[in-house]
Amino acid sequence: MVKIKNIQFNNFRNFKNFKTSFDNKLNILFGDNGCGKTNILEGISLVAKGRGIRNSNISNLIKKKENNFLIKNSLEIQSNNYNIEIYSEKKNEKFKKIIKINDDLSKDSLDFLNQAISYLIFLPEMERLFQSSPSYRRNFLDRLIFSSRNDYNRLVNKYKKFLLERMKIMQVNNVDYVWLNNIEKEICSLGLEIYSLRNSQLNSLNNELNILKKYHKFQFNIELEIKDDFYNNNIDFESYLSNLKNLRSYDKQYGGTKIGPHRSDLFATINGEYEASILSTGQQKTVVLMILLAQCNYLVNNKNITPIFLFDEIGSHLDKYNRQILLDMINRFEIQFFLTGTDKNLFSFVSTNAQFYNITGL
Ligand SMILES: Nc1ncnc2c1ncn2[C@@H]1O[C@H](COP(=O)(O)OP(=O)(O)OP(=O)(O)O)[C@@H](O)[C@H]1O
Ligand SMILES: [Mg+2]
């Protein structure tokens, strides 16, 4: 089990100095718009690999007019305590995020931390998940994969880098075909890996959603599906490669790669009848919460991972169905929650002992 015991910010976002300890179970941060609730969740999320829940540039995390930020926290991982320091460092005019674990910068301890930490995130934009862009939905799915495989983002970034590289090679007058062939081979093997990981993520979600139905009276029956014009299970490396080769002049003309996992989209069919895009925002929130509940079940039962929940602006749009799902998450798992909302009263339905934090004016 992983718990964040306390946190301290120096020159992080709107906070000059901020310090608080946290409850092992349920933490509710409330306060006026702009007081720093999302910033606190972001600060917590930075202990994991990557750039946090907003995927922000490191320089934007530093309080305006200051030089660097420092976040200290103590973590409990399987009953052992670790002191973590996360800070910005400027190298060659670029800011980097550095993490120290018990004063240790070694790769081994960083790997250990990355293995141990996993987050499940709800952001207010997710209330429109099925009305937003395909890339937002792909990111949503990719984040879920990332919650059980901390090397997944590197895979996706590498794939994107090779797509750009391919475009660059094709744009010059004297095309280096040996190089181009090699890059396309890299694209195909990484692309197939991404397709396959997304498929297995989706299968486990559908599977968990089915299991959950047995002891939970959900309002919706959800069937998730990846739609992709190119991919089907029969596509192998060679046919992927020849498709890519045939599309060279087309791709060059249109300035993008027509086929590949960067073109996939995530769909949800509700009650076997209609698409989730016609649901209201509150109902889309239900679908997203159900998916997060399913993912949590999968992580805890199949992967032996206890994620930390960071749910931003979860307080609004909570009808009895959404409250039930949220309460089920809180009661079912022995994990730590961080929930935010503008008003304390939005959380009065939570009967478990919760720790409330008023962030206004800190
Ligand atoms: N680098 C920075 N330096 C100083 N202030 C910043 C920085 N980045 C963001 N802020 C400020 O931090 C404030 C708090 O932002 P945050 O998004 O955490 O608010 P919030 O409490 O989540 O509000 P809401 O309820 O509207 O979501 C904002 O006013 C924002 O302008
Ligand atoms: Mg906010």
Side-chain angles (χ1 to χ4, degrees), residues 13-14 33-39 54 60 62 64 313:
R13 292 283 191 190
N14 61 320
N33 295 132
C35 68
K37 304 178 293 295
T38 307
N39 291 346
R54 286 192 175 105
N60 292 338
I62 305 166
K64 285 194 189 94
E313 269 178 58

Side-chain angles (χ1 to χ4, degrees), residues 237-255:
F237 183 85
E238 292 306 325
S239 54
Y240 193 167
L241 195 62
S242 69
N243 270 287
L244 212 50
K245 228 178 201 169
N246 293 338
L247 281 164
R248 279 176 186 171
S249 59
Y250 178 93
D251 286 350
K252 189 183 165 189
Q253 191 183 347
Y254 290 98

Side-chain angles (χ1 to χ4, degrees), residues 123-300:
L123 299 174
E125 306 91 90
M126 290 178 189
E127 292 192 353
R128 294 180 199 283
L129 180 67
F130 296 99
Q131 284 157 352
S132 62
S133 66
S135 81
Y136 192 81
R137 280 187 287 278
R138 277 194 303 274
N139 278 338
F140 174 78
L141 187 63
D142 284 348
R143 265 200 174 149
L144 295 180
I145 302 174
F146 186 58
S147 69
S148 70
R149 300 185 62 113
N150 64 63
D151 55 345
Y152 180 68
N153 277 7
R154 215 175 47 209
L155 176 70
V156 175
N157 289 336
K158 218 165 137 188
Y159 169 78
K160 287 181 182 162
K161 216 182 95 196
F162 282 126
L163 289 186
L164 288 175
E165 189 77 23
R166 176 173 175 264
M167 290 313 295
K168 256 201 239 158
I169 301 169
M170 293 194 302
Q171 240 101 52
V172 296
N173 289 333
N174 253 335
V175 175
D176 181 342
Y177 285 102
V178 178
W179 191 15
L180 184 58
N181 280 333
N182 283 337
I183 293 291
E184 286 179 345
K185 280 182 187 160
E186 294 282 2
I187 290 174
C188 291
S189 70
L190 293 169
L192 285 173
E193 212 176 329
I194 295 171
Y195 274 128
S196 137
L197 287 171
R198 284 194 185 145
N199 276 341
S200 62
Q201 171 67 60
L202 213 73
N203 289 341
S204 53
L205 279 176
N206 280 328
N207 195 23
E208 290 295 337
L209 284 165
N210 265 327
I211 296 171
L212 281 171
K213 265 196 305 205
K214 290 187 188 127
Y215 50 83
H216 207 312
K217 260 183 89 183
F218 285 125
Q219 191 190 7
F220 299 130
N221 195 355
I222 306 170
E223 186 74 41
L224 296 167
E225 192 189 343
I226 290 175
K227 290 207 173 154
D228 188 287
D229 291 339
F230 164 67
Y231 186 75
N232 62 52
N233 287 325
N234 296 325
I235 296 282
D236 59 11
F237 183 85
E238 292 306 325
S239 54
Y240 193 167
L241 195 62
S242 69
N243 270 287
L244 212 50
K245 228 178 201 169
N246 293 338
L247 281 164
R248 279 176 186 171
S249 59
Y250 178 93
D251 286 350
K252 189 183 165 189
Q253 191 183 347
Y254 290 98
T257 311
K258 193 167 186 280
I259 56 169
H262 62 289
R263 290 298 185 99
S264 303
D265 198 356
L266 171 70
F267 274 77
T269 307
I270 306 299
N271 300 336
E273 282 184 275
Y274 45 90
E275 279 181 13
S277 56
I278 67 159
L279 296 176
S280 72
T281 46
Q283 287 176 315
Q284 287 185 67
K285 190 170 196 161
T286 311
V287 174
V288 172
L289 287 177
M290 284 171 69
I291 293 173
L292 293 174
L293 177 60
Q295 177 69 357
C296 190
N297 239 7
Y298 169 72
L299 293 178
V300 171

